[in-house]
mmCIF file of all heavy atoms in Angstrom:
data_model
loop_
_atom_site.group_PDB
_atom_site.id
_atom_site.type_symbol
_atom_site.label_atom_id
_atom_site.label_comp_id
_atom_site.label_asym_id
_atom_site.label_seq_id
_atom_site.Cartn_x
_atom_site.Cartn_y
_atom_site.Cartn_z
ATOM 1 N N SER A 137 -104.583 223.407 -96.185
ATOM 2 C CA SER A 137 -103.137 223.469 -96.336
ATOM 3 C C SER A 137 -102.623 224.825 -95.863
ATOM 4 O O SER A 137 -103.408 225.750 -95.648
ATOM 5 C CB SER A 137 -102.729 223.244 -97.790
ATOM 6 O OG SER A 137 -103.273 224.256 -98.614
ATOM 7 N N GLY A 138 -101.297 224.913 -95.687
ATOM 8 C CA GLY A 138 -100.673 226.188 -95.362
ATOM 9 C C GLY A 138 -100.194 226.345 -93.939
ATOM 10 O O GLY A 138 -99.604 227.368 -93.604
ATOM 11 N N GLY A 139 -100.453 225.369 -93.088
ATOM 12 C CA GLY A 139 -100.016 225.476 -91.708
ATOM 13 C C GLY A 139 -98.510 225.320 -91.572
ATOM 14 O O GLY A 139 -97.799 225.054 -92.542
ATOM 15 N N GLY A 140 -98.033 225.484 -90.341
ATOM 16 C CA GLY A 140 -96.609 225.340 -90.081
ATOM 17 C C GLY A 140 -96.228 225.880 -88.737
ATOM 18 O O GLY A 140 -97.092 226.210 -87.911
ATOM 19 N N LEU A 141 -94.931 225.982 -88.517
ATOM 20 C CA LEU A 141 -94.369 226.523 -87.274
ATOM 21 C C LEU A 141 -93.975 227.975 -87.528
ATOM 22 O O LEU A 141 -93.251 228.261 -88.497
ATOM 23 C CB LEU A 141 -93.156 225.707 -86.851
ATOM 24 C CG LEU A 141 -92.344 226.237 -85.674
ATOM 25 C CD1 LEU A 141 -93.186 226.252 -84.399
ATOM 26 C CD2 LEU A 141 -91.085 225.385 -85.482
ATOM 27 N N VAL A 142 -94.422 228.854 -86.666
ATOM 28 C CA VAL A 142 -94.123 230.272 -86.832
ATOM 29 C C VAL A 142 -93.852 230.887 -85.457
ATOM 30 O O VAL A 142 -94.402 230.422 -84.451
ATOM 31 C CB VAL A 142 -95.282 230.986 -87.560
ATOM 32 C CG1 VAL A 142 -96.560 230.922 -86.745
ATOM 33 C CG2 VAL A 142 -94.936 232.411 -87.924
ATOM 34 N N GLN A 143 -93.024 231.905 -85.424
ATOM 35 C CA GLN A 143 -92.726 232.584 -84.168
ATOM 36 C C GLN A 143 -93.861 233.537 -83.794
ATOM 37 O O GLN A 143 -94.598 234.002 -84.672
ATOM 38 C CB GLN A 143 -91.425 233.367 -84.296
ATOM 39 C CG GLN A 143 -90.186 232.490 -84.434
ATOM 40 C CD GLN A 143 -88.906 233.292 -84.384
ATOM 41 O OE1 GLN A 143 -88.909 234.505 -84.599
ATOM 42 N NE2 GLN A 143 -87.811 232.613 -84.109
ATOM 43 N N PRO A 144 -94.006 233.832 -82.515
ATOM 44 C CA PRO A 144 -95.006 234.826 -82.108
ATOM 45 C C PRO A 144 -94.804 236.134 -82.870
ATOM 46 O O PRO A 144 -93.675 236.580 -83.068
ATOM 47 C CB PRO A 144 -94.740 234.997 -80.612
ATOM 48 C CG PRO A 144 -94.167 233.683 -80.187
ATOM 49 C CD PRO A 144 -93.333 233.230 -81.354
ATOM 50 N N GLY A 145 -95.918 236.704 -83.318
ATOM 51 C CA GLY A 145 -95.869 237.916 -84.122
ATOM 52 C C GLY A 145 -95.800 237.660 -85.614
ATOM 53 O O GLY A 145 -95.938 238.589 -86.410
ATOM 54 N N GLY A 146 -95.605 236.407 -85.995
ATOM 55 C CA GLY A 146 -95.500 236.055 -87.404
ATOM 56 C C GLY A 146 -96.838 235.910 -88.088
ATOM 57 O O GLY A 146 -97.898 236.153 -87.496
ATOM 58 N N SER A 147 -96.777 235.491 -89.355
ATOM 59 C CA SER A 147 -97.978 235.386 -90.181
ATOM 60 C C SER A 147 -97.999 234.051 -90.925
ATOM 61 O O SER A 147 -96.941 233.474 -91.214
ATOM 62 C CB SER A 147 -98.010 236.518 -91.211
ATOM 63 O OG SER A 147 -98.048 237.782 -90.588
ATOM 64 N N LEU A 148 -99.198 233.613 -91.229
ATOM 65 C CA LEU A 148 -99.406 232.436 -92.075
ATOM 66 C C LEU A 148 -100.666 232.663 -92.896
ATOM 67 O O LEU A 148 -101.567 233.410 -92.474
ATOM 68 C CB LEU A 148 -99.592 231.165 -91.243
ATOM 69 C CG LEU A 148 -98.368 230.481 -90.660
ATOM 70 C CD1 LEU A 148 -98.797 229.334 -89.749
ATOM 71 C CD2 LEU A 148 -97.431 229.987 -91.741
ATOM 72 N N ARG A 149 -100.730 231.995 -94.040
ATOM 73 C CA ARG A 149 -101.939 232.030 -94.864
ATOM 74 C C ARG A 149 -102.397 230.599 -95.122
ATOM 75 O O ARG A 149 -101.672 229.812 -95.724
ATOM 76 C CB ARG A 149 -101.673 232.732 -96.195
ATOM 77 C CG ARG A 149 -102.935 232.981 -96.997
ATOM 78 C CD ARG A 149 -102.611 233.468 -98.383
ATOM 79 N NE ARG A 149 -103.768 234.059 -99.048
ATOM 80 C CZ ARG A 149 -103.968 234.017 -100.360
ATOM 81 N NH1 ARG A 149 -103.082 233.432 -101.148
ATOM 82 N NH2 ARG A 149 -105.038 234.583 -100.885
ATOM 83 N N LEU A 150 -103.583 230.295 -94.639
ATOM 84 C CA LEU A 150 -104.160 228.968 -94.837
ATOM 85 C C LEU A 150 -105.085 228.970 -96.048
ATOM 86 O O LEU A 150 -105.723 229.980 -96.351
ATOM 87 C CB LEU A 150 -104.952 228.544 -93.600
ATOM 88 C CG LEU A 150 -104.231 228.595 -92.256
ATOM 89 C CD1 LEU A 150 -105.151 228.055 -91.161
ATOM 90 C CD2 LEU A 150 -102.927 227.842 -92.293
ATOM 91 N N SER A 151 -105.154 227.820 -96.705
ATOM 92 C CA SER A 151 -106.059 227.649 -97.846
ATOM 93 C C SER A 151 -106.908 226.402 -97.632
ATOM 94 O O SER A 151 -106.464 225.453 -96.983
ATOM 95 C CB SER A 151 -105.271 227.495 -99.154
ATOM 96 O OG SER A 151 -104.473 228.615 -99.407
ATOM 97 N N CYS A 152 -108.089 226.410 -98.191
ATOM 98 C CA CYS A 152 -108.968 225.243 -98.141
ATOM 99 C C CYS A 152 -109.669 225.097 -99.470
ATOM 100 O O CYS A 152 -110.398 226.005 -99.890
ATOM 101 C CB CYS A 152 -109.983 225.387 -97.017
ATOM 102 S SG CYS A 152 -111.266 224.117 -97.050
ATOM 103 N N ALA A 153 -109.441 223.965 -100.102
ATOM 104 C CA ALA A 153 -110.146 223.632 -101.341
ATOM 105 C C ALA A 153 -111.364 222.791 -100.979
ATOM 106 O O ALA A 153 -111.237 221.774 -100.296
ATOM 107 C CB ALA A 153 -109.235 222.866 -102.277
ATOM 108 N N ALA A 154 -112.526 223.246 -101.423
ATOM 109 C CA ALA A 154 -113.769 222.554 -101.092
ATOM 110 C C ALA A 154 -114.450 222.068 -102.360
ATOM 111 O O ALA A 154 -114.360 222.715 -103.405
ATOM 112 C CB ALA A 154 -114.707 223.483 -100.333
ATOM 113 N N SER A 155 -115.115 220.939 -102.263
ATOM 114 C CA SER A 155 -115.906 220.495 -103.400
ATOM 115 C C SER A 155 -117.079 221.446 -103.600
ATOM 116 O O SER A 155 -117.544 222.093 -102.652
ATOM 117 C CB SER A 155 -116.395 219.068 -103.186
ATOM 118 O OG SER A 155 -117.154 218.979 -102.008
ATOM 119 N N ARG A 156 -117.544 221.532 -104.826
ATOM 120 C CA ARG A 156 -118.557 222.521 -105.166
ATOM 121 C C ARG A 156 -119.844 222.278 -104.376
ATOM 122 O O ARG A 156 -120.554 223.231 -104.038
ATOM 123 C CB ARG A 156 -118.819 222.483 -106.666
ATOM 124 C CG ARG A 156 -119.588 223.675 -107.193
ATOM 125 C CD ARG A 156 -119.483 223.791 -108.679
ATOM 126 N NE ARG A 156 -120.150 224.979 -109.183
ATOM 127 C CZ ARG A 156 -121.376 224.976 -109.672
ATOM 128 N NH1 ARG A 156 -122.078 223.857 -109.723
ATOM 129 N NH2 ARG A 156 -121.911 226.096 -110.121
ATOM 130 N N THR A 157 -120.112 221.025 -104.082
ATOM 131 C CA THR A 157 -121.315 220.692 -103.314
ATOM 132 C C THR A 157 -121.316 221.434 -101.972
ATOM 133 O O THR A 157 -122.345 221.890 -101.497
ATOM 134 C CB THR A 157 -121.380 219.180 -103.060
ATOM 135 O OG1 THR A 157 -121.399 218.503 -104.304
ATOM 136 C CG2 THR A 157 -122.611 218.805 -102.254
ATOM 137 N N ILE A 158 -120.142 221.501 -101.357
ATOM 138 C CA ILE A 158 -120.022 222.163 -100.064
ATOM 139 C C ILE A 158 -119.984 223.677 -100.233
ATOM 140 O O ILE A 158 -120.625 224.430 -99.502
ATOM 141 C CB ILE A 158 -118.745 221.701 -99.335
ATOM 142 C CG1 ILE A 158 -118.784 220.203 -99.069
ATOM 143 C CG2 ILE A 158 -118.551 222.489 -98.049
ATOM 144 C CD1 ILE A 158 -117.502 219.653 -98.481
ATOM 145 N N PHE A 159 -119.228 224.130 -101.191
ATOM 146 C CA PHE A 159 -118.887 225.553 -101.280
ATOM 147 C C PHE A 159 -120.052 226.405 -101.746
ATOM 148 O O PHE A 159 -120.297 227.492 -101.205
ATOM 149 C CB PHE A 159 -117.709 225.698 -102.237
ATOM 150 C CG PHE A 159 -116.994 227.007 -102.125
ATOM 151 C CD1 PHE A 159 -115.987 227.182 -101.199
ATOM 152 C CD2 PHE A 159 -117.308 228.073 -102.948
ATOM 153 C CE1 PHE A 159 -115.309 228.382 -101.091
ATOM 154 C CE2 PHE A 159 -116.646 229.271 -102.854
ATOM 155 C CZ PHE A 159 -115.638 229.425 -101.927
ATOM 156 N N ARG A 160 -120.773 225.904 -102.729
ATOM 157 C CA ARG A 160 -121.777 226.723 -103.392
ATOM 158 C C ARG A 160 -122.878 227.131 -102.424
ATOM 159 O O ARG A 160 -123.433 226.300 -101.722
ATOM 160 C CB ARG A 160 -122.372 225.930 -104.551
ATOM 161 C CG ARG A 160 -123.181 226.770 -105.495
ATOM 162 C CD ARG A 160 -123.709 225.909 -106.624
ATOM 163 N NE ARG A 160 -124.456 226.710 -107.586
ATOM 164 C CZ ARG A 160 -125.165 226.209 -108.581
ATOM 165 N NH1 ARG A 160 -125.211 224.897 -108.750
ATOM 166 N NH2 ARG A 160 -125.814 226.990 -109.410
ATOM 167 N N PHE A 161 -123.167 228.383 -102.347
ATOM 168 C CA PHE A 161 -124.259 228.973 -101.579
ATOM 169 C C PHE A 161 -124.067 228.929 -100.069
ATOM 170 O O PHE A 161 -124.889 229.439 -99.338
ATOM 171 C CB PHE A 161 -125.606 228.315 -101.903
ATOM 172 C CG PHE A 161 -125.967 228.329 -103.352
ATOM 173 C CD1 PHE A 161 -126.397 227.180 -103.986
ATOM 174 C CD2 PHE A 161 -125.870 229.498 -104.088
ATOM 175 C CE1 PHE A 161 -126.738 227.199 -105.335
ATOM 176 C CE2 PHE A 161 -126.209 229.524 -105.438
ATOM 177 C CZ PHE A 161 -126.642 228.363 -106.055
ATOM 178 N N ASN A 162 -122.999 228.273 -99.613
ATOM 179 C CA ASN A 162 -122.863 228.114 -98.167
ATOM 180 C C ASN A 162 -122.004 229.190 -97.530
ATOM 181 O O ASN A 162 -121.020 229.647 -98.123
ATOM 182 C CB ASN A 162 -122.250 226.749 -97.831
ATOM 183 C CG ASN A 162 -123.293 225.662 -97.786
ATOM 184 O OD1 ASN A 162 -124.295 225.778 -97.087
ATOM 185 N ND2 ASN A 162 -123.060 224.596 -98.517
ATOM 186 N N THR A 163 -122.357 229.535 -96.298
ATOM 187 C CA THR A 163 -121.452 230.317 -95.479
ATOM 188 C C THR A 163 -120.347 229.384 -95.009
ATOM 189 O O THR A 163 -120.620 228.372 -94.363
ATOM 190 C CB THR A 163 -122.181 230.923 -94.277
ATOM 191 O OG1 THR A 163 -123.144 231.865 -94.754
ATOM 192 C CG2 THR A 163 -121.212 231.627 -93.348
ATOM 193 N N MET A 164 -119.119 229.716 -95.370
ATOM 194 C CA MET A 164 -117.969 228.879 -95.032
ATOM 195 C C MET A 164 -117.257 229.429 -93.797
ATOM 196 O O MET A 164 -117.298 230.633 -93.522
ATOM 197 C CB MET A 164 -117.003 228.813 -96.205
ATOM 198 C CG MET A 164 -117.591 228.169 -97.455
ATOM 199 S SD MET A 164 -118.090 226.460 -97.205
ATOM 200 C CE MET A 164 -116.503 225.671 -96.860
ATOM 201 N N GLY A 165 -116.582 228.535 -93.098
ATOM 202 C CA GLY A 165 -115.907 228.966 -91.888
ATOM 203 C C GLY A 165 -114.577 228.270 -91.677
ATOM 204 O O GLY A 165 -114.339 227.182 -92.211
ATOM 205 N N TRP A 166 -113.739 228.927 -90.913
ATOM 206 C CA TRP A 166 -112.514 228.312 -90.399
ATOM 207 C C TRP A 166 -112.758 228.004 -88.919
ATOM 208 O O TRP A 166 -113.157 228.883 -88.149
ATOM 209 C CB TRP A 166 -111.315 229.224 -90.557
ATOM 210 C CG TRP A 166 -110.743 229.219 -91.939
ATOM 211 C CD1 TRP A 166 -110.965 230.129 -92.923
ATOM 212 C CD2 TRP A 166 -109.847 228.240 -92.485
ATOM 213 N NE1 TRP A 166 -110.263 229.786 -94.054
ATOM 214 C CE2 TRP A 166 -109.569 228.630 -93.815
ATOM 215 C CE3 TRP A 166 -109.252 227.077 -91.993
ATOM 216 C CZ2 TRP A 166 -108.726 227.904 -94.655
ATOM 217 C CZ3 TRP A 166 -108.414 226.357 -92.827
ATOM 218 C CH2 TRP A 166 -108.155 226.763 -94.147
ATOM 219 N N HIS A 167 -112.478 226.763 -88.552
ATOM 220 C CA HIS A 167 -112.607 226.293 -87.195
ATOM 221 C C HIS A 167 -111.219 225.871 -86.724
ATOM 222 O O HIS A 167 -110.365 225.539 -87.548
ATOM 223 C CB HIS A 167 -113.541 225.089 -87.125
ATOM 224 C CG HIS A 167 -114.879 225.286 -87.771
ATOM 225 N ND1 HIS A 167 -116.036 225.383 -87.048
ATOM 226 C CD2 HIS A 167 -115.246 225.419 -89.079
ATOM 227 C CE1 HIS A 167 -117.062 225.549 -87.866
ATOM 228 N NE2 HIS A 167 -116.601 225.584 -89.111
ATOM 229 N N ARG A 168 -111.002 225.853 -85.420
ATOM 230 C CA ARG A 168 -109.724 225.363 -84.923
ATOM 231 C C ARG A 168 -109.930 224.561 -83.644
ATOM 232 O O ARG A 168 -110.902 224.775 -82.910
ATOM 233 C CB ARG A 168 -108.749 226.513 -84.664
ATOM 234 C CG ARG A 168 -109.099 227.421 -83.490
ATOM 235 C CD ARG A 168 -108.105 228.562 -83.389
ATOM 236 N NE ARG A 168 -108.420 229.441 -82.259
ATOM 237 C CZ ARG A 168 -107.803 230.600 -82.028
ATOM 238 N NH1 ARG A 168 -106.827 231.018 -82.843
ATOM 239 N NH2 ARG A 168 -108.144 231.338 -80.985
ATOM 240 N N GLN A 169 -109.006 223.633 -83.416
ATOM 241 C CA GLN A 169 -109.051 222.828 -82.202
ATOM 242 C C GLN A 169 -107.695 222.893 -81.525
ATOM 243 O O GLN A 169 -106.730 222.239 -81.971
ATOM 244 C CB GLN A 169 -109.419 221.377 -82.515
ATOM 245 C CG GLN A 169 -109.608 220.543 -81.268
ATOM 246 C CD GLN A 169 -110.309 219.233 -81.537
ATOM 247 O OE1 GLN A 169 -110.351 218.755 -82.676
ATOM 248 N NE2 GLN A 169 -110.890 218.651 -80.507
ATOM 249 N N PRO A 170 -107.580 223.700 -80.454
ATOM 250 C CA PRO A 170 -106.326 223.756 -79.709
ATOM 251 C C PRO A 170 -106.093 222.440 -78.974
ATOM 252 O O PRO A 170 -107.040 221.686 -78.716
ATOM 253 C CB PRO A 170 -106.555 224.909 -78.726
ATOM 254 C CG PRO A 170 -107.729 225.671 -79.269
ATOM 255 C CD PRO A 170 -108.568 224.657 -79.956
ATOM 256 N N PRO A 171 -104.875 222.163 -78.568
ATOM 257 C CA PRO A 171 -104.576 220.913 -77.853
ATOM 258 C C PRO A 171 -105.426 220.783 -76.598
ATOM 259 O O PRO A 171 -105.484 221.696 -75.772
ATOM 260 C CB PRO A 171 -103.088 221.060 -77.506
ATOM 261 C CG PRO A 171 -102.559 222.056 -78.469
ATOM 262 C CD PRO A 171 -103.676 222.972 -78.795
ATOM 263 N N GLY A 172 -106.112 219.644 -76.461
ATOM 264 C CA GLY A 172 -106.889 219.372 -75.276
ATOM 265 C C GLY A 172 -108.179 220.154 -75.129
ATOM 266 O O GLY A 172 -108.811 220.121 -74.064
ATOM 267 N N ARG A 173 -108.575 220.848 -76.183
ATOM 268 C CA ARG A 173 -109.781 221.675 -76.104
ATOM 269 C C ARG A 173 -110.739 221.338 -77.232
ATOM 270 O O ARG A 173 -110.400 220.631 -78.171
ATOM 271 C CB ARG A 173 -109.398 223.152 -76.135
ATOM 272 C CG ARG A 173 -108.595 223.595 -74.930
ATOM 273 C CD ARG A 173 -108.073 225.004 -75.078
ATOM 274 N NE ARG A 173 -109.137 225.982 -75.310
ATOM 275 C CZ ARG A 173 -108.922 227.257 -75.558
ATOM 276 N NH1 ARG A 173 -107.680 227.708 -75.619
ATOM 277 N NH2 ARG A 173 -109.923 228.078 -75.747
ATOM 278 N N GLN A 174 -111.953 221.861 -77.129
ATOM 279 C CA GLN A 174 -112.957 221.618 -78.148
ATOM 280 C C GLN A 174 -112.714 222.477 -79.383
ATOM 281 O O GLN A 174 -112.100 223.548 -79.312
ATOM 282 C CB GLN A 174 -114.355 221.912 -77.585
ATOM 283 C CG GLN A 174 -114.838 220.906 -76.560
ATOM 284 C CD GLN A 174 -116.290 221.122 -76.171
ATOM 285 O OE1 GLN A 174 -116.784 222.241 -76.183
ATOM 286 N NE2 GLN A 174 -116.967 220.046 -75.822
ATOM 287 N N ARG A 175 -113.217 222.023 -80.489
ATOM 288 C CA ARG A 175 -113.129 222.778 -81.736
ATOM 289 C C ARG A 175 -114.010 224.022 -81.631
ATOM 290 O O ARG A 175 -115.105 223.973 -81.048
ATOM 291 C CB ARG A 175 -113.567 221.899 -82.898
ATOM 292 C CG ARG A 175 -113.240 222.428 -84.252
ATOM 293 C CD ARG A 175 -113.033 221.339 -85.318
ATOM 294 N NE ARG A 175 -113.663 220.068 -85.048
ATOM 295 C CZ ARG A 175 -113.244 218.927 -85.584
ATOM 296 N NH1 ARG A 175 -112.191 218.918 -86.392
ATOM 297 N NH2 ARG A 175 -113.876 217.806 -85.318
ATOM 298 N N GLU A 176 -113.531 225.121 -82.188
ATOM 299 C CA GLU A 176 -114.266 226.380 -82.132
ATOM 300 C C GLU A 176 -114.221 227.063 -83.500
ATOM 301 O O GLU A 176 -113.261 226.934 -84.238
ATOM 302 C CB GLU A 176 -113.663 227.311 -81.077
ATOM 303 C CG GLU A 176 -112.202 227.678 -81.338
ATOM 304 C CD GLU A 176 -111.608 228.594 -80.291
ATOM 305 O OE1 GLU A 176 -112.327 229.051 -79.395
ATOM 306 O OE2 GLU A 176 -110.386 228.866 -80.386
ATOM 307 N N LEU A 177 -115.281 227.818 -83.790
ATOM 308 C CA LEU A 177 -115.336 228.611 -85.018
ATOM 309 C C LEU A 177 -114.592 229.920 -84.794
ATOM 310 O O LEU A 177 -114.850 230.615 -83.807
ATOM 311 C CB LEU A 177 -116.786 228.898 -85.381
ATOM 312 C CG LEU A 177 -117.035 229.768 -86.606
ATOM 313 C CD1 LEU A 177 -116.636 229.046 -87.889
ATOM 314 C CD2 LEU A 177 -118.501 230.199 -86.670
ATOM 315 N N VAL A 178 -113.665 230.262 -85.694
ATOM 316 C CA VAL A 178 -112.919 231.512 -85.529
ATOM 317 C C VAL A 178 -113.275 232.561 -86.574
ATOM 318 O O VAL A 178 -113.091 233.755 -86.323
ATOM 319 C CB VAL A 178 -111.393 231.285 -85.520
ATOM 320 C CG1 VAL A 178 -110.985 230.447 -84.335
ATOM 321 C CG2 VAL A 178 -110.909 230.647 -86.815
#
């Protein structure tokens, strides 16, 4: 959650709620998929 439309130079804060099975002990990541491109880890 937390996405939206923002002007260049602006800010946003994204959140992700994960089940404990996923979250515990794991290295977590944010990935993104731009239009027409492959998903990438950021």
Side-chain angles (χ1 to χ4, degrees):
S137 62
L141 173 63
V142 63
Q143 292 187 341
S147 299
L148 281 174
R149 189 189 196 211
L150 307 183
S151 300
C152 171
S155 58
R156 194 164 184 263
T157 301
I158 299 174
F159 197 86
R160 193 179 182 189
F161 305 131
N162 276 307
T163 295
M164 297 299 296
W166 280 99
H167 308 250
R168 69 183 180 188
Q169 186 165 20
R173 295 172 57 185
Q174 289 188 329
R175 193 152 23 203
E176 60 180 355
L177 177 69
V178 296

